[in-house]
Amino acid sequence: MMRLDAATRDLDAPLAALDLAAFDANADDLERRAGGLPIRVASKSLRCREALGRVLSRPGWSGVMAYALAEALWLVGTGVRDVFVAYPTASTSALAELAADPLALSEITLAIDSAEHVAFLAQRVGPGVPLRVAIDVDCSVVLGRAHLGVRRSPVRTPADAVAVVHAAQAAGFTVVGAMFYDAQVAGLPDASPAIRWLKRRTLSELPDRRAAVIDALRAVADLAFVNGGGTGSLESFGGTAGGSGVTEVAAGSGLYGPTLFDGYRAFRPRPALQFGLPAVRRPTPGVVTLFSGGYVASGEPGWSRVPSPVARGLRLTRTEAAGEVQTPVRGPAADGVRMGETVWFRGAKAGELLERFDGVHVVEADAVTAIWPTYRGEGRNFG
């Protein structure tokens, strides 16, 4: 925090800053945890082309996992290759653009998970368009009527997966991949005995089901990749787990190190991305009010989704938390914050934060050495 203060003391806040040494150290650690499997970088967790380019220049990283087709088209147009859109798309305009662009057709793969979605895509792109597609397979735990995990794909069994492959092939699409995202392992901190149990249950039952689905898919399609995991579950696939049938893993949030990962027991990324807010008001002793700051992350509402002050002795107020135009903080350190001084925070999640900033101030040693434009700073917003 002191280095960020020194590097940005002459800059106006609010601002976002990236500790480049921490970013690179996090990339090193993700590679170690991947155990030799290539890592596909999740663009929604970075939302900055310079950051994407920095990790893609490393030998342990290959390809991009995008979150929107319009984003993938833009990235390919700027020179990025091998982009997997890991969420189903229904954008008619983006599909028309994809269908008309031979380069994009060769570099972009779309996630599918049902015959219904295949029929929608076929109708929008027209006959004879050779879309590259990958099957998204559900990795949640189902116990009777209880569904434990996020609501993603309806594909769970080998038969489910093969049925979607046949529908895609009948539409003239080429099935080139599969995806297994264990969201309840990769994206949930070890916050309670129930969550830790769910993670153990997932890691005990998923490998056999995943292997059966992969075998079934390889019998009917020539898979170029099988993607698995996320920042929170890389150890499940790399190293000694390399026989899982997964050929690559995905990660992104771990590069920035948001507070989400403070609750994990197996690893702890360095806080690389932070944002600073200026002190603008002192309503009472023990409280200082900062401008802006309401950068609340998506997901289940609650305190785990709000940003956190970095400095010890400062905390958000329970009645206001982080607000759109003001964020009061209280505690023993509040009276020592000078008017106009920057107070640093970490976001609860990673890339979403950068929807609020046009650029990221890159800090090396005690100086800002570059300003990397965010997606927003390049005039891009993909929802």
Side-chain angles (χ1 to χ4, degrees):
M1 184 176 65
M2 293 179 63
R3 293 199 306 108
L4 297 186
D5 278 334
T8 63
R9 66 165 55 94
D10 296 325
L11 301 176
D12 284 337
L15 80 164
L18 180 68
D19 183 331
L20 196 61
F23 180 88
D24 289 342
N26 289 339
D28 289 338
D29 192 53
L30 288 165
E31 291 167 21
R32 176 191 62 79
R33 293 174 55 223
L37 286 178
I39 305 173
R40 186 180 290 272
V41 59
S43 61
K44 79 177 181 66
S45 299
L46 299 187
R47 304 193 200 200
C48 171
R49 285 198 300 126
E50 293 284 354
L52 287 170
R54 188 171 183 89
V55 291
L56 287 173
S57 69
R58 301 173 63 104
W61 300 72
S62 180
V64 171
M65 177 179 283
Y67 64 100
L69 177 54
E71 175 205 15
L73 290 163
W74 175 59
L75 290 175
V76 168
T78 65
V80 177
R81 297 294 177 260
D82 185 13
V83 182
F84 170 39
V85 182
Y87 302 85
T89 184
S91 172
T92 298
S93 60
L95 286 166
E97 185 178 345
L98 174 63
D101 187 337
L103 175 61
L105 283 170
S106 68
E107 297 294 341
I108 294 175
T109 302
L110 301 180
I112 58 172
D113 60 20
S114 68
E116 179 185 12
H117 188 226
V118 168
F120 173 87
L121 295 176
Q123 181 183 41
R124 293 304 187 272
V125 301
V129 176
L131 293 185
R132 292 166 52 91
V133 296
I135 311 298
D136 185 1
V137 182
D138 178 60
C139 294
S140 59
V141 172
V142 175
L143 299 174
R145 295 184 178 182
H147 182 280
L148 307 178
V150 302
R151 295 286 184 175
R152 288 178 64 99
S153 169
V155 174
R156 287 188 57 82
T157 68
D160 294 337
V162 169
V164 177
V165 170
H166 287 158
Q169 292 171 336
F173 303 162
T174 303
V175 179
V176 300
M179 175 185 181
F180 296 83
Y181 178 54
D182 52 344
Q184 65 272 23
V185 179
L188 284 180
D190 301 311
S192 69
I195 291 176
R196 293 192 289 274
W197 174 87
L198 176 58
K199 289 188 176 189
R200 290 193 300 271
R201 178 67 182 247
T202 301
L203 295 175
S204 67
E205 76 168 30
L206 178 59
D208 288 343
R209 181 163 63 87
R210 183 174 59 221
V213 173
I214 293 172
D215 287 345
L217 286 173
R218 290 199 180 281
V220 294
D222 185 13
L223 301 184
F225 69 87
V226 177
N227 183 276
T231 290
S233 63
L234 294 191
E235 294 89 350
S236 303
F237 303 96
T240 57
S244 63
V246 170
T247 65
E248 64 176 39
V249 290
S253 297
L255 291 163
Y256 285 165
T259 61
L260 168 69
F261 297 116
D262 291 353
Y264 282 73
R265 294 181 169 185
F267 70 100
R268 180 69 62 87
R270 296 189 189 182
L273 179 66
Q274 299 182 30
F275 67 92
L277 305 177
V280 295
R281 174 181 289 166
R282 197 179 308 281
T284 189
V287 177
V288 63
T289 301
L290 316 173
F291 174 69
S292 189
Y295 314 144
V296 178
S298 64
E300 181 181 1
W303 283 95
S304 66
R305 302 300 174 178
V306 300
S308 299
V310 174
R312 293 182 180 179
L314 289 178
R315 64 184 186 276
L316 296 172
T317 66
R318 301 294 294 185
T319 52
E320 292 190 57
E324 181 183 12
V325 291
Q326 73 166 36
T327 296
V329 291
R330 67 187 312 145
D335 290 337
V337 177
R338 302 181 305 276
M339 193 64 55
E341 182 179 343
T342 299
V343 174
W344 293 96
F345 285 74
R346 293 169 61 208
K349 295 179 74 173
E352 295 177 25
L353 170 64
L354 294 186
E355 293 292 343
R356 304 299 296 265
F357 295 95
D358 290 339
V360 178
H361 293 77
V362 178
V363 175
E364 297 182 79
D366 295 328
V368 172
T369 59
I371 301 177
W372 290 351
T374 63
Y375 279 14
R376 166 179 157 155
E378 295 198 71
R380 304 289 172 166
N381 179 353
F382 302 108

